[in-house]
Amino acid sequence: MSRVLYSLCGADSSVRFSPHCWKVILALKHKGLAFEEQPVGFTEIPTLEDGFSKTVPILKDGDKLIADSFAIAIYLEQTYPDRPSLFKGEGGLAMARFVEAWSQSTLHPAVTRIAVKHIHDMLAPVDQAYFRESREARLGATLEEVATGREAEISGFSEKCTPLRNMLKFQPFIGGSEPLFSDYIVFGAFQWAALTGNTGLLDPNDPVSNWFERCLEFSEKG
Amino acid sequence: MSRVLYSLCGADSSVRFSPHCWKVILALKHKGLAFEEQPVGFTEIPTLEDGFSKTVPILKDGDKLIADSFAIAIYLEQTYPDRPSLFKGEGGLAMARFVEAWSQSTLHPAVTRIAVKHIHDMLAPVDQAYFRESREARLGATLEEVATGREAEISGFSEKCTPLRNMLKFQPFIGGSEPLFSDYIVFGAFQWAALTGNTGLLDPNDPVSNWFERCLEFSEKG
């Protein structure tokens, strides 16, 4: 059975930077499921699978199509229950929604302001035009205006990670002794920053940096 | 078998305002376990149970003593596994630590700045002296200086609740369809504000206010 993950790429198709696609890459590796990654540019998404979804990730698992990273994680958990769990129970699934809400309301706006110009510059020309128009409408400012807040955002980034840092005093992963989908949700935000040229947002000795490295090691093992 | 919860009170012993004690009150109700609440002032804590703990809550369950709200929740889960679960699995237990870290690094400092003078004024004189000395050392400022930030803190409070508000688009509780200990962790912070005279921090129609009401209804049912 073929398994294809459509994920977002820049002009260089080897650079896949979408935080939401990274969540799914690590979820598939966690489940030990082989897959082929098919990188696509922003403007190709509407042409995929007869316009199945306006956003990636899209997972095609045999003849089944699923979009949205959280929905894909739930699908994988339900479809492959004998593989390692992504949630470790009903409570873990519910609380992963809180982790998602925290990551996407706290880290994502910060990474957007830090990385928006880098992301734009990495894209193929046709995707650059789409990205500029859609993001400027969403952000209510030009990409260049948003980017003026970059240094302030970098200065404040470490403090935004405080809940994760404090939790790491008790356990090595958000999922406890091992990473779960909740870790991959937050990992996605950091990987997005890193792959768009924004490394060094945290001190290398920061417990959060160490957690990120542990997640990365896990993903490379898969 | 007797079950006693030592919890913090003001000069009026009917006002129990500690966020950490409220977490345990709701956890005991969730488990359907009868208990007697014994209110104590700050300066009484070192005299309880031969100086068992420097902080409350302390739960005395028969001849077993446990301090720290999270440790008490784990104890209840392990000791009463046939009662409704507080975590719904290993993942839920782990992620409750993240929720705790978020609540205590985001909401608690805000409620401290909003409520610190109210709390002081509610205490018995002997506890007021202790509270002033210990909190001024911890905060690096007089209580009156801390309180000057109150209005700004109230203005910014709603935004701090964004992760919870966004999560509530998906489910009625942090625990999913029903409240779990993770809900009681956050509930404790709001109840602490409310019982020290700081109601109205959120619009009554805010989904977070509705969630708080649902938690309160649950606790009154118990």
Side-chain angles (χ1 to χ4, degrees):
Chain A
M1 189 177 82
S2 74
R3 194 175 290 115
V4 177
L5 174 66
Y6 294 104
S7 72
L8 200 64
C9 68
D12 174 350
S13 67
S14 73
V15 182
R16 276 93 80 167
F17 58 86
S18 155
H20 308 292
C21 294
W22 273 98
K23 298 176 194 175
V24 176
I25 292 170
L26 268 67
L28 286 162
K29 292 188 178 208
H30 185 104
K31 285 279 185 194
L33 297 167
F35 64 101
E36 183 196 326
E37 201 175 342
Q38 186 161 323
V40 298
F42 275 112
T43 52
E44 285 178 85
I45 300 172
T47 70
L48 299 172
E49 303 292 346
D50 297 324
F52 175 69
S53 168
K54 289 179 181 171
T55 58
V56 287
I58 299 170
L59 181 69
K60 185 171 185 174
D61 192 28
D63 58 2
K64 184 90 184 164
L65 282 170
I66 318 103
D68 178 83
S69 61
F70 209 103
I72 292 171
I74 291 173
Y75 164 82
L76 293 174
E77 188 77 350
Q78 289 173 343
T79 309
Y80 304 100
D82 298 337
R83 304 282 182 134
S85 175
L86 287 164
F87 298 108
K88 287 192 181 168
E90 197 184 328
L93 194 156
M95 283 171 237
R97 276 291 187 200
F98 180 81
V99 174
E100 178 187 59
W102 173 74
S103 182
Q104 291 178 201
S105 70
T106 305
L107 303 184
H108 280 223
V111 176
T112 295
R113 286 185 285 270
I114 290 168
V116 75
K117 269 292 283 168
H118 296 75
I119 296 171
H120 173 270
D121 295 347
M122 288 168 62
L123 300 177
V126 60
D127 292 324
Q128 286 185 337
Y130 161 83
F131 185 79
R132 178 176 288 280
E133 190 179 337
S134 61
R135 269 43 179 187
E136 291 187 346
R138 186 188 296 174
L139 297 164
T142 67
L143 300 186
E144 289 71 17
E145 285 165 351
V146 174
T148 59
R150 184 170 184 273
E151 292 308 317
E153 213 48 77
I154 290 173
S155 303
F157 192 77
S158 175
E159 197 189 332
K160 292 198 160 77
C161 301
T162 303
L164 182 53
R165 191 176 296 115
N166 287 357
M167 184 219 72
L168 290 167
K169 293 173 190 166
F170 292 98
Q171 55 200 28
F173 293 102
I174 303 174
S177 57
E178 294 176 326
L180 294 180
F181 189 62
S182 51
D183 291 272
Y184 309 149
I185 288 170
V186 185
F187 175 88
F190 284 85
Q191 184 74 324
W192 177 32
L195 293 181
T196 54
N198 298 284
T199 49
L201 295 178
L202 297 175
D203 186 286
N205 296 317
D206 188 320
V208 176
S209 302
N210 300 335
W211 160 85
F212 178 76
E213 291 300 326
R214 286 195 297 275
C215 290
L216 204 57
E217 276 165 32
F218 176 84
S219 82
E220 284 162 0
K221 231 172 30 188
Chain B
M1 188 178 80
S2 75
R3 195 175 290 115
V4 176
L5 175 65
Y6 295 103
S7 72
L8 200 64
C9 67
D12 175 352
S13 67
S14 73
V15 181
R16 275 92 80 167
F17 57 86
S18 155
H20 308 292
C21 295
W22 273 99
K23 297 176 194 176
V24 176
I25 292 170
L26 269 67
L28 286 162
K29 292 189 177 208
H30 185 104
K31 285 279 185 195
L33 297 168
F35 63 100
E36 183 197 325
E37 202 175 341
Q38 187 161 323
V40 298
F42 274 112
T43 52
E44 285 177 83
I45 300 172
T47 70
L48 299 172
E49 303 292 345
D50 297 324
F52 174 70
S53 169
K54 288 179 182 169
T55 57
V56 287
I58 299 170
L59 181 70
K60 184 172 185 175
D61 192 29
D63 57 2
K64 184 90 185 163
L65 282 170
I66 317 102
D68 178 81
S69 60
F70 208 104
I72 293 171
I74 291 174
Y75 165 82
L76 294 175
E77 188 78 349
Q78 290 173 342
T79 309
Y80 303 100
D82 298 337
R83 304 283 183 134
S85 175
L86 287 165
F87 298 108
K88 288 193 180 166
E90 198 184 327
L93 194 156
M95 283 171 237
R97 276 290 187 201
F98 180 82
V99 174
E100 179 187 58
W102 173 75
S103 182
Q104 291 178 200
S105 70
T106 305
L107 304 183
H108 281 223
V111 176
T112 295
R113 286 186 285 269
I114 290 168
V116 75
K117 268 292 284 169
H118 295 76
I119 297 170
H120 173 269
D121 295 347
M122 287 168 62
L123 300 177
V126 60
D127 292 323
Q128 285 185 336
Y130 161 82
F131 184 80
R132 177 175 289 279
E133 189 178 338
S134 61
R135 268 43 179 186
E136 291 187 347
R138 186 188 296 174
L139 297 163
T142 67
L143 300 186
E144 289 70 17
E145 284 165 351
V146 174
T148 59
R150 184 169 184 273
E151 292 308 317
E153 214 45 79
I154 290 173
S155 302
F157 191 76
S158 176
E159 197 189 332
K160 291 198 161 77
C161 302
T162 303
L164 182 53
R165 191 176 296 116
N166 287 357
M167 186 219 70
L168 290 168
K169 293 173 190 166
F170 293 98
Q171 54 199 29
F173 293 103
I174 303 174
S177 57
E178 294 175 327
L180 294 180
F181 189 61
S182 51
D183 290 275
Y184 309 148
I185 288 170
V186 185
F187 175 88
F190 283 86
Q191 184 74 325
W192 177 32
L195 294 181
T196 54
N198 298 285
T199 50
L201 294 179
L202 297 176
D203 185 287
N205 296 316
D206 188 321
V208 177
S209 302
N210 300 335
W211 161 86
F212 178 76
E213 291 300 325
R214 286 195 296 276
C215 291
L216 204 57
E217 276 166 31
F218 176 85
S219 82
E220 283 163 0
K221 226 171 38 184

